[in-house]
Amino acid sequence: MSSGLIRRDNGHGKTHYFASSDESKICVVMVGLPARGKSLIAGKAMRYLAWVGIPARVFNVGTYRRQGTPQPSATFFDPHNEEGEKMRRAAADAAITDMIQWFDAGKGVVAILDATNSTKERRRWINERCQEANIETLYVESICDEEDLIMNNILEVKTTSPDYKGQDPEVAARDFRERIRNYEKVYETIDDGEKSYTYVKLINVGSTVIINQIKDYLSSRLVYYIQNLHIKPRSIWLSRHGESEYNLTGKIGGDSNISERGEAYAKALPGLLKKSGVPPNTKIVIWTSTLKRTIQTARHLAAETGFEKLEWKALDELDSGVCDGLTYEQIAEKYPEDFAARDEDKYNYRYRGGESYRDVVIRLEPIIMELERSENVIIVTHQAVLRCIYAYFLNTPQEQSPWMEVPLHTLIKLTPRAYGTEEQRFKADIPAVSTWRAKGTSAKHQEYSTETKA
């Protein structure tokens, strides 16, 4: 397979990204005992690939198995349970068959097969099926013997897994531990006998990473992302800067100060963070852009908590080029064709001398890598940047992310889980203008009331 991604412009201002070979097909095969973070890693990898424009999909074998056995007990997973083994094999076969059809229909570039895949025989069978379909395999094994982390993952599964929906949590936890013991009876780690496979082994949350036979650009890019992941419980808080002087007049870009109400939000932010639920003795790092309005918004939080604060140039607002400092009304008057083009395809439209949302995603990729390496972080940034980061965690489609409403004076708490990202919003009781404009609406700057838009 030839390496790299190529970029093509369709002649109408829209840029598309493709795998460098039309034949590129990669199946990422998760490997590991239950409660080792496989589904979390699979979900993150899928979101990352979609975020950077590479079509991907997770094929979770448990989802197929639940069609016939929605809430099995641990005995279903006993290696001596021949009927259970037969049904589990059928679920894996159905998932792989669907995956191959998905590839054949040209719907994607990377598929992620999320299951334990815990024996050499199972991995050999998967490899044969993929080879027959001209699909390359990348095995990702998550190994963990840290008891605290395993117990956290058991807690996560018993409260979020469809297998235990509606069940008593303690009963669910006991059953899940027994399920793990059943898998441990037959589990075989990837070893020297499988050196012909392309694989990465993550040991104890990435403290040790073993990489073997990575041959192409896309796999290496994915492995680099995966080796930066950890599966420890944590949260990420997102906030726009407090209302700025430019916000009051409808101007975009610039490096203005925050308004009086923006200052009130800055003072309220420490209490809002506490209200959101911060576990005792939790260390949080504060990230801001290099622009005044984010630094001013975070200064009381840093002073009151003593948390470390870092400024990132990559978190600066989308560069609006020649339109910097203008209102949308002025842009529509001065550059009517550009205003219409941006409404048509906001994600790919690039301001003259400035950036597009796609450009912002590209410059945010190192931020995402650092964020995945980190534990608890609060990011105080700008509307476009926050939309892009939010879209990464919530798997928001590219065409929708630039139109999301992200109100001022609101703290968003995101907590990654095995089966998705949990979101909570905490609104400060401090009025602010609304800077949101719906697609196709008038560019005229409204006379904002002192009430926050709902």
Side-chain angles (χ1 to χ4, degrees), residues 424-437:
Q424 297 170 282
R425 294 196 178 201
F426 302 87
K427 200 170 186 177
D429 189 21
I430 299 166
V433 301
S434 171
T435 60
W436 180 68
R437 189 184 69 84

Side-chain angles (χ1 to χ4, degrees), residues 87-150:
M87 294 176 73
R88 297 199 304 277
R89 177 64 172 255
D93 185 67
I96 290 179
T97 299
D98 279 0
M99 178 191 76
I100 292 170
Q101 290 175 350
W102 180 76
F103 275 128
D104 288 346
K107 293 183 178 179
V109 175
V110 179
I112 303 169
L113 186 65
D114 184 15
T116 56
N117 299 314
S118 52
T119 66
K120 292 181 179 180
E121 186 280 327
R122 175 58 60 88
R123 294 192 288 271
R124 183 166 53 249
W125 172 70
I126 293 169
N127 201 57
E128 289 171 355
R129 289 289 306 271
C130 288
Q131 281 186 337
E132 290 169 3
N134 196 30
I135 299 167
E136 297 187 27
T137 52
L138 167 61
Y139 293 86
V140 177
E141 183 176 15
S142 180
I143 300 171
C144 181
D145 57 15
E146 291 184 5
E147 192 59 32
D148 287 350
L149 189 57
I150 293 170

Side-chain angles (χ1 to χ4, degrees), residues 375-394:
E375 293 188 24
N376 298 282
V377 176
I378 179 169
I379 303 175
V380 181
T381 184
H382 308 267
Q383 180 169 251
V385 174
L386 196 150
R387 281 169 171 159
C388 293
I389 295 172
Y390 179 95
Y392 165 76
F393 282 102
L394 276 295

Side-chain angles (χ1 to χ4, degrees), residues 290 298 307:
T290 64
F307 293 151

Side-chain angles (χ1 to χ4, degrees), residues 335-404:
Y335 306 106
E337 291 183 2
D338 291 73
F339 188 83
R342 191 165 193 259
D343 250 24
E344 177 63 28
D345 186 8
K346 193 174 179 181
Y347 185 81
N348 289 297
Y349 170 81
R350 180 181 290 122
Y351 280 106
R352 298 185 189 190
E355 290 181 303
S356 66
Y357 270 83
R358 186 180 290 279
D359 295 329
V360 173
V361 164
I362 291 168
R363 74 162 148 98
L364 282 176
E365 193 168 352
I367 290 286
I368 292 298
M369 295 293 182
E370 186 62 31
L371 197 53
E372 289 294 2
R373 276 197 292 266
S374 305
E375 293 188 24
N376 298 282
V377 176
I378 179 169
I379 303 175
V380 181
T381 184
H382 308 267
Q383 180 169 251
V385 174
L386 196 150
R387 281 169 171 159
C388 293
I389 295 172
Y390 179 95
Y392 165 76
F393 282 102
L394 276 295
N395 198 29
T396 307
Q398 290 178 345
E399 65 273 11
Q400 294 178 18
S401 60
W403 298 104
M404 290 189 299

